[in-house]
Structures are given as C-alpha cells and as structure tokens.
Amino acid sequence: METFIPSPQGIPWLSIVCVIAPLVSAIVTLFIPSGNDNAVKMWANVASFAIFLGTIFIWLFAGYDPNNPAYQLGEVAEWIPVLNVDYRVAIDGLSLPLVVLTGFLTWISIFYSTRVINYRVKEYFFLFLLLAVGMFGVFIALDYFLFYIFWEIGLVPMYFLIGIWGGARREYAAIKFFLYTLTGSVLMLLAILGIYWGTGSFNLVTLPGLMQNSEVFGANGNFLVKSLAFWAIFIAFAIKVPLFPFHTWLPDAHVEAPTAGSVILAGILLKLGGYGMIRILMPLFPDTFNAYWIPIAVLAVISIVYGALVAMAQWDLKKLIAYTSVNHMGYCMLGIAAAASTLDRGPELMESRAIALNGAVFQFIAHGLITGALFLLVGVIYERAHTRDIKQFGGLGAVLPIFYGFMAITTFASLGLPGLAGFVSEFMVFRGAFGVGLQAQPILAILTGIALLGIVFTAALFLWKVIQGLFLGTLNEKWANLPDMHAWEMISVVPLVVLFIFFGLYPAPILNLINQGVVKILGMMS
Amino acid sequence: MNTNVDWLQRSLAIGPELLLMLGGLVVLLVDMWLADDDHPLLPGLTGLFMVGALIWSFVPFIPGMGITPGTIYGMFALDNLTIFFRVFVLTSSLLVLALTTVYIKGRTEQTGEFYSLLLFITLSVILASAANNLIMIYLAFEFLSLTSYIMVGWLRDDVRSNEAAMKYLLYGAISSAVMLYGMSLLYGATGSTNIAEIAAVFANPRTEIVGIFNLGITAAVLMMVGFGFKVALVPFHQWSPDAYEGAPTPVTTFLSVGPKAAGFAIMIRVLTGALGAQTESWQAMLSAVAILTMVVGNLTALAQTDMKRLLAYSSIAQAGYILMGLVANNPADNFGIRAVLVYLLAYLFTNIGLFVSVIGFEQATGSTTIDDYRGLIRRSPFHAMAMVIFFLSLLGIPPTAGFLGKFLVFGAVINAELYFLAVVGMLTSVISAYYYLNVVRVMFFQGDEEDRPLRFAFPLQAVLVITLVGTLLMNLYPTPFLNLIGEPTNLVTQLFGQLPF
C-alpha cells in the first residue's frame, strides 16, 4: 500500500495554503503604509479568513481521502542534497484536524484582536500571520530538518507578541518563554543530528523503518544512546506540552500574553508538543518509549492532579485557566503513555491503546476549542473591569447574563460535562488507559484511578472559583454598570462554543479522521 | 620546458594576490598625487582592485578552468581551502570598504593610506590562509598583525583607539613570540618547515620511539597561543574587547571576520596537516579551549552594556563554536572542517550585517550604548528587524545562516560522539539567547516616545541588504554556498602535491 500519496495533479495545496499564503499575507502587511491601521486590520482579517477557508478546502475538496491512512497531498522537493534534506510536506488523519484547528483559531484570534489591539497594529498582525506559518509548518512537515525549522519559526513571533502587547511583567514572561522553549529545541537538535548519523535520513516517512534497521537505534541497539536521544526529544516536547515539571513558563506566558496570544498559545502551541510526541517520538522510538512509559505516565498524572490543585489555589482568573491547561494536557500525556505502555500484544489490547491515543488527539482539538473560548471570555471581562482578581467579582450573573451563559457552558465543557467535547476526549483517555491497565499493566490502572481525582478537582474549581466567584453572591457595586458582551465578542466566541457542543454530541467526523492516523502510528510501533 | 609559460601560469594562479599587492601600491601613489584626501577615486580604485581579485578568484569555478590542487614552491598552497578563503576575505573586505567610505569622513585625514592598508590586510589574510610552510605562516601572520595594529590605532587623536592599538600590539608581540618558539621546536624535531614534510616525519612510527612525537604536542600547545590570539580564544582573548571598542568601527568589523578566518585557516593547515599524527592530543586540548571559550565568552557577554563590547564577547563565544568543528573533525571526510567553513561564511554575513547596523546607529547618534537603542523599531523599522534576524542567526535560530552553521558544527560533534562538548555548546548557546535578546528587548519593548527617524547613508543600506539576503539565503537555499566549499576529497587531502609546473 502506498504510504505517501502526492497531491493530485501536482498542485501544492499544502504549501499554498499553509506556508505561502500566511507568509505572503504577513509580508504584505508590512508594506501597507503606516497610519492605515484599519487597512492592516481589514487585510489581516480577510487573509486569515481566506487561509481558514483554505484549510477547509484541503480537508474536503482537495482530494484528501479520509478513509486512507496514508500521508496525502504530499509534496517533495530536493532542498539540501549534500545533507539529504528535502522539502517534504503531507497530511494524514493525525495532522489534518490540527491544520484546520490552526486555521480556525488563527482567524478567530485575528478577528478578536481587531477590536482590542490599537497599539503598533502593523507589527501585531504581521507577527500573528508569521506565527501561523510556523504552526502550520510543524503539522505538515515530514522532514525532520524542516520540522525543526518550522518549530523554531513559531517561537520568535510569540516572544514578540508577549513582550510587546503583554501585561505588566511581559518582558520577563517573554524571555522565560523563549529560553525554556529554546532549551528544549537545542536538545532536540542534538538528537536530530544523532538520528541523522544513525540512519542518514531526515525523512519522517521512512525514518521509523530506518531506525529499526539501524545499528544504534534498532531493537538491539545501544540502549544508552537511544535513551539519550529519546529524552532529549521528549524534553523538547514536554516543555511545549507542558508536562510537569517543565510547565513553569506557562502560567507566566499565559497571564502576560494578550488575549489572542493566550488563545493561540493554549489552542495550538501546546499541541505542537503533544503532536511531536505522537508523530515523531512514538514511531521513531517505540521500544524506548515503551521502556519509559511508567515515569511518563507518572508525570502525566502529577500534571493532572497538581495542575488542578494549583489552579484551584489561584485568584487570578487567567492564571487559573493557565493551570487548567497543565491539567488538561496531562490527560493527553496519560493517553499517550497508555498507548506506549505495551507494544503490540494482540488485538484486544490494540483497541484500548487506540482509544487512549484517539482520546489524547481529540483532547488536542477539544482543549483548543474550549480553552480558546475561555481565554476569550477572560479577555471580555478584563477589557471591562481591568482586573482579573476573582475576589473582586461576584454577583455578575445579573449584570452580564449573556457573558454568564457563555462562561457557564464553556467551564462546563472544560470540566468535562457529558455532551460537550471535553467529556468525549477525557472519557476516551480514561477508557483506553483503564482498558490497557486492567488487561496488561496494573500500574497504569492505579495511575488512571489517581488521575480521576483531577476531574473532581477541576469540577470543584470551575464551579467554586469561576461560577460562584464571578457570577453568584453579592455584587460589587463597582461593576453594576458593566456593559454585557458586544456582538463582535459573541461572534468570536460563538463558533468555538458551537463546535465544542457539536463535537461533544457527534465527534464521529473528527474521530474517524484521527483514528486513521492513530492506527497507523500504533502500527508503526509494533 | 618553456620558462616563459611557466612564469605566466604561476602568476595566473596567484593573480588575486598580485592584484591586491599592486592595488595597495597604486592607491598609495595616487593618494600622493591627489590634493583632496576625500577624493572618491581612492575608495573607487580600492574597490576596483578588490572586485578584480574577487572575479579572478572565481576563475577556478569555471568548468574546465579548475585547478589541480598543489603548492607553489611548497610555500603557497593552491587548493579549495585557499580558493574559499580568497572569496571569503575579498567579500568581507568589499563590504568593509563600503562601510569605511561612510565612517571615515571627518574622522581622520589620512584616508589614502587607510585604503591601501585595507588592500594589504586583505592580501595578508589570503597569504596566511594559503601558507603551507612554517616560515610563510609566520610571515603572513606578522604581516596581518602589523597591518591590524596600525588600523586599530588609526584615529590618532582618540585616546581609546591608541590604547586599543597598544594593548593589541603588546599581546600580539608576546603571543607571536611564543608561537615562533613552538615552530622552532617543530623544525628542531623534524628538520623541516614544510607542512607536508613535517607530517611525513611524524607519520613515521619510529619517531615515537625517539620521543620526537611528543615534541609535536608541545609545539602544538605553544603555537596555539599565537593561533588563539588571532582568533580570540579564551584564555588569549583579553585584548579583543578593548581593541573592538577602541578601533574605528569598520576596522572592528574586519577584525571580527578577517583575522579570525586566517587563524582558523592556519589551524586547519597546521593541526590537521603537520600534526595529523597527534590529532588525538590536540583535539583534546582544543576541546578544553572550546568549552572554556564558549563558557567565558557567553557569561562575560551577559554583563555588557556597550554594543561593541557585547559583539566582542559574542565573537569570542562564536569562535568557540567554530572551534568545535575542528575538534570534531574526522580526517576521513573532513566534515568538521567543512562545518567550520560554513560557519565562518554564515558568521561573515551575520556579523558584518550587525556591525553595519552599529555603524549606522553610531553615525546617526554618536552612541554605541545598548540602552540608546531604545525604541529603534520606531525610529528605523527595517534596521531593527534586520538586527533581529542577525541576532537570531548568531543564536542559531532558523531560517538563518547561523542555524546552518551551528547545525553542521554540532553535526560533526555528535558524529564524533563528543556528547559532553555538544551539550555544553548547546547550553551556552541558550545563555547567549539572553544577551542577544536583551538588545532585541531594548529595541522593541522599550521606548514609546516618538523619536526622529534615523537615516542611513546609501552604502550602509546596500551592505545591510546584501548581508541580510546572504544571511537568509544561506539557510533557505544553501547549495551554492556549499558548492563554494567543494568536495571533501578536494579540500585539504590533496594538499601536499606539487603543482604540475
């Protein structure tokens, strides 16, 4: 069976939509004469919406076959022949939903920013579109060298977005974000080089096989070298996820970033780490991943429980949500660890592993939508009250009924209420992890049991801190005259809400897509 | 054999060097004839000779005109390494020339001599990188040093310029004396000053019994003092921040690129050539030097408040990364050396680009203090964005030339399984992010007041654009740059044969 299917008629749809369009849009922004802020905003909105439509086009009309697990719409061009580096991009069931999510959230973020950002407008939208290049690129790259380049390109615009348009401690948060991520990246770079010398290739399509056959990295290879390379890459991705104890940059970055920056950070950038784990680490280091699944699962469970507990201790609304990201991404990591906890041992185990990994990838989407909406809603209240201190609020339910409604449904989604997208992914992760645990790995069952505490804690913190703290109780008279949500704010949030309700009720379209990719990855591992 | 043809062929082979020497003399003479010191004929002529030499340097790349690697009288090696450094140095000299025309106006009256010296220093770097004999190496080395001293102290009425030249001279004199002692040991041990002959003696297994072998290691240590001084490796680096700060900025620009390249070229020839048999010993020594250089250079840079001093420490640290390529070189494929060359080329574009920005800023504001770069994005957006790209390149973030350089150098290190060195290199490069981005922070995150915009003179704009394009292109389309370095087998392995004439 063909594993890498070129784009039909050789039209490079992926490059056009995901690389050239955002890059050209960004550069065009720079050439709009200064002073025309409205023109810049208009252009950024049109461009990002067109790019979003482009990703939809790729999904539905460009000849992508959702029932084929192969890499599709592929493009290959020779780049640096001396090093055997190619420009190689394609998508499969794993990356396609994330590409569409990136297009969607980029558009939503730019739309929301239109009204909020009035300072250094041109730079802002330039950087936002540039950021899209990096994020798209990571999801479509199938050459490790190219992957790394896109990975790093995403880093720089975010640094500026936090540092220029952020809150009071923005300079600290920006450099912290940069240094943390860079530390991870440089470690990964060393591992990439190690893999290159071991296999002579950067090609992520053939690397899983080459790794198995290589002297150093194969099943009978040097375990020390394999472990070093594995952990170097793992840390790079774990910092991005972020997995405890590599998460400390996240609260700072989230709190200081502008609203749209937080949306992208939580919605896409965190997913890059989890995506890398599944796309690169699992197929390239199946037995090493398997050997270390326990510490990884333990870290995941700590992230889940600790993230929820620390979130509960916060009185800054944005910081609270930032810590719930640590908790939610912990579920992804638990699902990934569960999928890696056994190498193929028969179909009954395969099913649970696939469910766990599907849950993890679905959590990428669900968390992107839900937390994106949450950060937008925090932005809404912050724009009005200029504070995020929960203690100062209370009784807002009567003053801001629409906001209350949006906030309520989004927090319910975030705490995993059945019928909303968060429930689907968390249920699948737990179902998969328990399944694997009960059938083969008792430790995993115990760890999953502990992780269930996280669900309880998140429910408690959202109901107590957010719902009760903001909307119930006595009203602080200061806020008696706050205006409710404007139409344009609702336009930004409604699509997210609609989608997480829709996918909560009917996740099949996305799950079918993801499942193709997940089964392929698990097949590569065995 | 017809002697006339013989003479002609030889001259053609070293045409660029002859042209540069001629140019230096012509510019001096013309300067005497001209009453006006600011006459555009001087830089014009200088540029003309450089362009001529650069074009001549590309002749071997024309199909059918390729040279057979070899040496001229055993003194001047003609191989890919020489050709690479010719192109390298001439490119940097041309860019520096463009900067000089803007910078020098109103600062000094002796402009003619300066242009002439620029041609001579270019020549000296090429000679040093092509030298195939210890005597020749020493002469070229001194030629380079003497011209550098004069150029650093060019601003006669500026105390800092004088101080810088004096420090540079004192350090230089001592280190070349130590280096000369190392060379004399080599000569004593092997009875030859020719690199190939020295290598042949050491390759003979009998020498180890006689104990001469270890003399080679001692010589390597002593000579490293001289090489380390030129390249500014720790602990021979103390001169460089003062010299960088005090020297006229175009000279600083050249110092950060030209002599460094010459130093690495000599190291490549002497260490992998003459002392190939002692590879293990000198690689261990260089490994320690590289670690020291990266750690000290990067940590000291953290505390700098002056842009030129910051770049001085940054360039010390960068030399540490370049050195790693040599440490990890594998003689079988010379991957490490090729990585060194790519890194040097990346460094050429990046560093000259940065210095252009510094000169432009200095011309407009008279300041080189980092804090004065506050709000540069408002005053000169293109300039500020270019500087960000250069800093990212020094940091090794794609898509920039610096990334390709770091990628290859670390590739060599990983291939040699020097994991500790690799991790130190990577972690220190994370440290460097802090001080590079500190400048970016000042330029972008601070200073809201609308300052008057900065205007750059045309030559500065041009150099900025050239270096920026070079910096980006080297990563986005590296093939032509890699071709410049050539096939590994042609690089230095056939270094020691005689030319056929």
Side-chain angles (χ1 to χ4, degrees):
Chain A
M1 195 174 62
E2 201 65 49
T3 55
F4 187 88
I5 301 170
S7 188
Q9 285 102 45
I11 305 169
W13 288 120
L14 285 176
S15 296
I16 292 172
V17 173
C18 298
V19 182
I20 297 171
L23 191 62
V24 170
S25 313
I27 292 169
V28 167
T29 314
L30 283 185
F31 284 97
I32 297 176
S34 53
N36 297 329
D37 285 356
N38 285 334
V40 171
K41 287 174 174 177
M42 183 78 83
W43 168 251
N45 269 289
V46 170
S48 60
F49 189 64
I51 292 164
F52 167 53
L53 291 182
T55 59
I56 298 280
F57 174 85
I58 285 176
W59 181 10
L60 298 175
F61 306 111
Y64 181 85
D65 176 5
N67 298 315
N68 188 342
Y71 300 106
Q72 298 180 49
L73 304 180
E75 302 161 31
V76 184
E78 202 175 62
W79 187 8
I80 313 176
V82 186
L83 295 172
N84 208 359
V85 171
D86 292 325
Y87 176 83
R88 176 182 287 102
V89 297
I91 46 171
D92 65 357
L94 185 59
S95 47
L96 178 57
L98 291 165
V99 167
V100 179
L101 182 71
T102 306
F104 178 61
L105 284 181
T106 302
W107 167 59
I108 292 276
S109 303
I110 285 181
F111 177 79
Y112 180 84
S113 304
T114 313
R115 301 297 184 102
V116 181
I117 300 295
N118 288 308
Y119 167 68
R120 293 167 77 170
V121 171
K122 200 154 91 169
E123 289 166 72
Y124 181 88
F125 290 99
F126 166 73
L127 289 167
F128 230 99
L129 289 163
L130 195 64
L131 183 60
V133 179
M135 297 186 300
F136 277 128
V138 169
F139 291 133
I140 62 173
L142 280 177
D143 183 284
Y144 212 165
F145 188 89
L146 187 66
F147 178 94
Y148 185 82
I149 287 186
F150 282 127
W151 177 269
E152 294 279 79
I153 286 179
L155 178 58
V156 180
M158 200 32 128
Y159 166 76
F160 284 106
L161 286 175
I162 297 174
I164 298 178
W165 293 274
R169 292 166 70 233
R170 58 182 194 274
E171 292 182 2
Y172 167 78
I175 190 73
K176 190 171 180 181
F177 164 77
F178 195 94
L179 290 181
Y180 260 75
T181 320
L182 184 67
T183 311
S185 322
V186 296
L187 288 174
M188 177 159 76
L189 184 61
L190 294 181
I192 295 176
L193 288 162
I195 290 172
Y196 174 66
W197 291 117
T199 62
S201 174
F202 294 107
N203 182 345
L204 287 175
V205 179
T206 55
L207 259 182
L210 291 172
M211 291 286 277
Q212 296 316 307
N213 298 330
S214 91
E215 224 173 273
V216 186
F217 294 104
N220 302 318
N222 183 336
F223 188 69
L224 179 67
V225 174
K226 274 201 290 188
S227 298
L228 283 175
F230 173 82
W231 283 108
I233 301 176
F234 183 85
I235 289 175
F237 291 147
I239 288 173
K240 209 71 162 192
V241 167
L243 189 67
F244 177 90
F246 308 108
H247 67 284
T248 55
W249 64 271
L250 181 94
D252 288 304
H254 262 319
V255 169
E256 301 306 328
T259 299
S262 296
V263 172
I264 289 293
L265 199 58
I268 309 294
L269 287 185
L270 304 190
K271 275 70 194 175
L272 298 182
Y275 173 79
M277 298 248 180
I278 299 173
R279 166 69 75 219
I280 290 174
L281 220 40
M282 291 180 79
L284 259 50
F285 295 91
D287 49 335
T288 323
F289 211 137
N290 180 244
Y292 291 115
W293 78 266
I294 294 180
I296 293 168
V298 168
L299 288 180
V301 171
I302 294 177
S303 296
I304 292 170
V305 177
Y306 171 85
L309 284 175
V310 179
M312 204 187 286
Q314 303 304 318
W315 290 102
D316 180 326
L317 191 56
K318 212 171 178 187
K319 207 163 193 171
L320 179 148
I321 294 168
Y323 274 109
T324 64
S325 282
V326 178
N327 160 278
H328 281 120
M329 295 309 288
Y331 298 127
C332 297
M333 288 309 301
L334 183 65
I336 290 170
S341 65
T342 51
L343 295 176
D344 194 26
R345 283 215 246 135
E348 71 284 355
L349 217 52
M350 189 68 172
E351 195 194 330
S352 290
R353 291 170 66 207
I355 290 177
L357 200 53
N358 271 317
V361 180
F362 195 75
Q363 173 79 330
F364 293 168
I365 311 290
H367 178 256
L369 296 172
I370 296 167
T371 309
L374 275 176
F375 277 118
L376 287 176
L377 290 167
V378 173
V380 167
I381 187 73
Y382 183 72
E383 289 295 322
R384 286 166 174 68
H386 299 287
T387 177
R388 294 182 303 252
D389 185 1
I390 297 171
K391 285 181 198 160
Q392 299 206 27
F393 294 114
L396 286 179
V399 183
L400 306 170
I402 303 176
F403 178 66
Y404 183 21
F406 277 112
M407 199 68 175
I409 189 151
T410 314
T411 49
F412 290 153
S414 188
L415 62 83
L417 192 75
L420 300 169
F423 171 74
V424 177
S425 53
E426 285 165 25
F427 177 79
M428 288 176 75
V429 167
F430 284 119
R431 156 70 184 84
F434 263 128
V436 177
L438 294 178
Q439 290 172 67
Q441 303 281 13
I443 307 171
L444 184 61
I446 297 168
L447 286 172
T448 314
I450 299 171
L452 277 170
L453 283 176
I455 299 265
V456 181
F457 293 149
T458 17
L461 81 93
F462 273 122
L463 291 177
W464 168 43
K465 278 273 165 77
V466 180
I467 300 296
Q468 193 177 342
L470 255 59
F471 300 107
L472 306 180
T474 48
L475 177 70
N476 181 342
E477 283 309 315
K478 250 197 299 186
W479 316 125
N481 296 319
L482 286 187
D484 208 339
M485 281 175 80
H486 303 304
W488 62 270
E489 287 169 331
M490 283 189 257
I491 295 174
S492 332
V493 181
V494 164
L496 296 166
V497 174
V498 168
L499 282 177
F500 70 66
I501 295 174
F502 177 77
F503 290 132
L505 297 170
Y506 185 56
I510 299 234
L511 274 180
N512 289 344
L513 209 57
I514 295 172
N515 191 42
Q516 296 291 348
V518 162
V519 169
K520 178 173 70 178
I521 299 284
L522 290 176
M524 284 177 185
M525 284 186 77
S526 52
Chain B
M1 190 186 272
N2 189 326
T3 46
N4 282 332
V5 173
D6 191 26
W7 175 85
L8 189 67
Q9 272 185 343
R10 251 174 226 163
S11 311
L12 280 177
I14 55 165
E17 289 76 36
L18 292 177
L19 208 55
L20 284 174
M21 192 170 70
L22 184 71
L25 297 172
V26 167
V27 170
L28 264 188
L29 283 175
V30 171
D31 181 45
M32 292 196 334
W33 281 70
L34 290 173
D36 177 11
D37 264 318
D38 279 338
H39 202 287
L41 190 60
L42 293 171
L45 266 179
T46 312
L48 212 59
F49 277 105
M50 285 180 183
V51 170
L54 186 61
I55 292 171
W56 205 324
S57 306
F58 275 104
V59 167
F61 290 98
I62 301 168
M65 298 288 280
I67 51 160
T68 317
T71 66
I72 297 174
Y73 295 125
M75 285 285 179
F76 186 98
L78 208 55
D79 51 20
N80 279 353
L81 206 59
T82 303
I83 295 169
F84 170 83
F85 278 107
R86 268 180 190 162
V87 176
F88 180 93
V89 178
L90 284 165
T91 310
S92 51
S93 299
L94 268 170
L95 295 176
V96 169
L97 174 68
L99 309 185
T100 310
T101 55
V102 176
Y103 185 89
I104 211 162
K105 272 197 193 102
R107 280 196 164 81
T108 172
E109 283 165 6
Q110 289 79 21
T111 58
E113 292 89 334
F114 192 90
Y115 291 119
S116 158
L117 275 174
L118 195 57
L119 284 162
F120 281 129
I121 200 169
T122 309
L123 173 62
S124 72
V125 172
I126 299 180
L127 289 179
S129 57
N132 193 41
N133 185 304
L134 294 181
I135 303 283
M136 182 72 182
I137 289 174
Y138 184 73
L139 288 177
F141 200 88
E142 285 301 289
F143 183 9
L144 173 57
S145 296
L146 288 173
T147 38
S148 313
Y149 304 148
I150 302 172
M151 287 171 85
V152 168
W154 197 253
L155 302 176
R156 278 198 313 203
D157 304 325
D158 185 338
V159 182
R160 287 193 311 171
S161 179
N162 284 317
E163 183 199 334
M166 187 50 80
K167 268 196 177 151
Y168 196 15
L169 170 70
L170 290 176
Y171 270 102
I174 294 169
S175 58
S176 45
V178 177
M179 179 181 76
L180 195 60
Y181 184 52
M183 289 178 169
S184 72
L185 283 186
L186 267 191
Y187 177 67
T190 62
S192 171
T193 55
N194 183 295
I195 285 180
E197 288 168 17
I198 295 170
V201 172
F202 282 129
N204 182 349
R206 215 167 54 82
T207 51
E208 194 146 20
I209 308 162
V210 187
I212 292 175
F213 188 84
N214 290 333
L215 219 50
I217 300 172
T218 316
V221 174
L222 292 171
M223 285 189 297
M224 264 313 287
V225 176
F227 304 156
F229 161 77
K230 262 286 152 269
V231 179
L233 297 171
V234 178
F236 315 110
H237 68 290
Q238 287 97 335
W239 62 273
S240 84
D242 292 315
Y244 274 42
E245 192 186 6
T249 315
V251 175
T252 312
T253 314
F254 190 81
L255 281 189
S256 74
V257 178
K260 255 193 178 43
F264 276 108
I266 295 177
M267 269 197 254
I268 291 170
R269 288 198 193 274
V270 172
L271 295 179
T272 63
L275 300 173
Q278 287 93 339
T279 300
E280 243 171 67
S281 311
W282 62 255
Q283 281 191 338
M285 172 178 75
L286 286 197
S287 170
V289 172
I291 289 176
L292 206 59
T293 305
M294 291 185 292
V295 171
V296 172
N298 280 315
L299 288 182
T300 325
L302 287 175
Q304 302 308 316
T305 54
D306 180 274
M307 197 69 179
K308 280 163 91 175
R309 285 188 85 85
L310 177 86
L311 290 178
Y313 282 107
S314 136
S315 89
I316 291 170
Q318 297 287 332
Y321 296 113
I322 304 177
L323 192 63
M324 287 203 305
L326 203 53
V327 172
N329 187 48
N330 176 359
D333 58 2
N334 280 326
F335 189 88
I337 291 180
R338 282 190 289 161
V340 166
L341 301 185
V342 175
Y343 204 120
L344 279 171
L345 202 56
Y347 183 71
L348 162 85
F349 289 121
T350 310
N351 223 41
I352 292 187
L354 260 183
F355 271 109
V356 180
S357 317
V358 173
I359 290 174
F361 193 81
E362 194 183 349
Q363 288 294 104
T365 65
S367 165
T368 57
T369 313
I370 292 173
D371 276 341
D372 288 340
Y373 282 74
R374 217 171 38 243
L376 189 68
I377 179 67
R378 289 292 178 98
R379 304 182 67 183
S380 180
F382 175 67
H383 182 183
M385 284 171 69
M387 282 182 83
V388 170
I389 291 175
F390 294 134
F391 279 127
L392 292 178
S393 178
L394 285 181
L395 191 48
I397 302 261
T400 59
F403 167 68
L404 188 70
K406 275 221 169 81
F407 188 83
L408 293 175
V409 164
F410 280 99
V413 174
I414 291 286
N415 198 22
E417 299 183 354
L418 302 168
Y419 300 129
F420 179 70
L421 185 62
V423 170
V424 171
M426 278 305 182
L427 292 184
T428 53
S429 92
V430 172
I431 293 174
S432 75
Y434 188 82
Y435 61 82
Y436 289 135
L437 289 183
N438 181 43
V439 185
V440 175
R441 180 181 70 89
V442 170
M443 292 192 300
F444 280 78
F445 300 172
Q446 297 188 338
D448 276 339
E449 63 275 24
E450 282 285 348
D451 270 311
R452 68 194 159 78
L454 295 181
R455 291 265 168 264
F456 275 42
F458 170 74
L460 296 185
Q461 297 274 28
V463 175
L464 195 62
V465 170
I466 292 171
T467 50
L468 190 62
V469 169
T471 303
L472 290 174
L473 207 60
M474 248 188 98
N475 191 179
L476 297 175
Y477 185 55
T479 306
F481 299 96
L482 296 175
N483 283 347
L484 194 61
I485 290 155
E487 289 299 310
T489 45
N490 262 356
L491 191 61
V492 274
T493 42
Q494 295 183 27
L495 186 62
F496 310 116
Q498 288 283 326
L499 278 183
F501 38 79

